Amino acid sequence: MSEIRLERLTGERLQHYLPDLARLRIEVFRDFPYLYEGSQAYEERYLKTYAAAKDSVIVGAFDGEEVVGAATGLPLAHEPESLTRPFAERGYEVEEIFYFGESVLQKRYRGHGIGVRFFEEREAHARSLGRFRWTVFCGVIRPEDHPRRPKDYVPLDAFWRRRGYEPIPGLIGHLSWQDLDEDHETAKPMQFWIKPLT
């Protein structure tokens, strides 16, 4: 996988790849645990809003000119109250937190260190801004007996802990989307993980 390159996407180059990034998000998030029933139009709108946020970052992973993965980040203050309020209620300064939105990578490219590099790139970006104390992200909470949970499913908890992240007990946000077996959006509980940005 040494031929895979990572690139921070901005400006016209980001605009060029928005449709590919949108398709990638839909493809990866259809799998458990997200089970996301996405639409191309919504995803492109979401990514444009994300790209326009001050101090945000979108990192693309490329095999040649094909985008095979992406990771996003931005100041938590840009996120909705359903994600910022839990931190404020715990006494965190929201302005000191940089939030990782997602990491998505096609299956055949996993297990080769690209996910590690996604974390390194976003942490380096947050550190370069000079005003953040913490990096955080969240993962959906699904019950152990969820009917769509694959028998061979392995949560990413161990991978995240190796990156230096720990879950914050009881610090739960909520995001809404439509599951594959739903006919409308419902709010999903999201467990936050945190790391000091030192």
Side-chain angles (χ1 to χ4, degrees):
M1 289 292 165
S2 59
E3 71 277 10
I4 301 302
R5 74 178 193 284
L6 266 59
E7 177 184 339
R8 294 186 190 180
L9 297 172
T10 58
E12 289 185 13
R13 191 149 172 84
L14 173 58
Q15 294 300 318
H16 173 76
Y17 281 106
L18 279 178
D20 293 333
L21 292 168
R23 282 191 293 273
L24 183 63
R25 276 177 45 88
I26 293 169
E27 172 190 336
V28 172
F29 283 138
R30 282 184 72 83
D31 290 341
F32 189 86
Y34 287 92
L35 305 172
Y36 173 56
E37 183 69 81
S39 77
Q40 184 75 15
Y42 172 84
E43 289 300 318
E44 290 191 37
R45 284 196 307 274
Y46 165 82
L47 288 164
K48 283 179 183 175
T49 301
Y50 214 98
K54 181 174 169 40
D55 294 330
S56 67
V57 62
I58 296 180
V59 181
F62 290 85
D63 186 348
E65 278 302 301
E66 179 188 3
V67 60
V68 299
T72 64
L74 81 175
L76 181 65
H78 289 305
E79 288 293 328
E81 186 187 16
S82 64
L83 297 186
T84 60
R85 186 180 63 251
F87 284 94
E89 290 174 350
R90 288 288 190 96
Y92 287 91
E93 295 292 335
V94 171
E95 293 76 17
E96 295 179 344
I97 301 172
F98 194 86
Y99 173 70
F100 295 167
E102 61 265 306
S103 294
V104 291
L105 187 63
Q106 289 181 354
K107 287 181 182 177
R108 68 183 183 274
Y109 294 94
R110 296 174 192 170
H112 298 279
I114 299 169
V116 174
R117 293 172 63 198
F118 278 158
F119 273 89
E120 291 171 347
E121 284 285 327
R122 291 179 296 178
E123 288 170 5
H125 174 78
R127 203 174 286 114
S128 75
L129 297 171
R131 66 178 191 277
F132 296 100
R133 291 184 60 196
W134 313 95
T135 51
V136 304
F137 65 88
C138 57
V140 65
I141 301 170
R142 296 290 193 181
E144 291 289 325
D145 61 351
H146 192 284
R148 286 185 175 266
R149 184 187 181 97
K151 288 189 171 115
D152 60 351
Y153 174 70
V154 178
L156 290 172
D157 297 28
F159 171 79
W160 294 332
R161 288 181 191 278
R162 287 194 298 273
R163 307 281 73 73
Y165 289 83
E166 292 290 337
I168 310 170
L171 207 160
I172 309 294
H174 288 84
L175 292 173
S176 294
W177 67 83
Q178 182 179 333
D179 274 3
L180 296 175
D181 55 357
E182 294 178 330
D183 58 11
H184 62 281
E185 289 188 359
T186 59
K188 312 296 193 299
M190 309 292 291
Q191 171 66 58
F192 277 104
W193 293 63
I194 193 166
K195 175 181 178 178
L197 191 64
T198 54

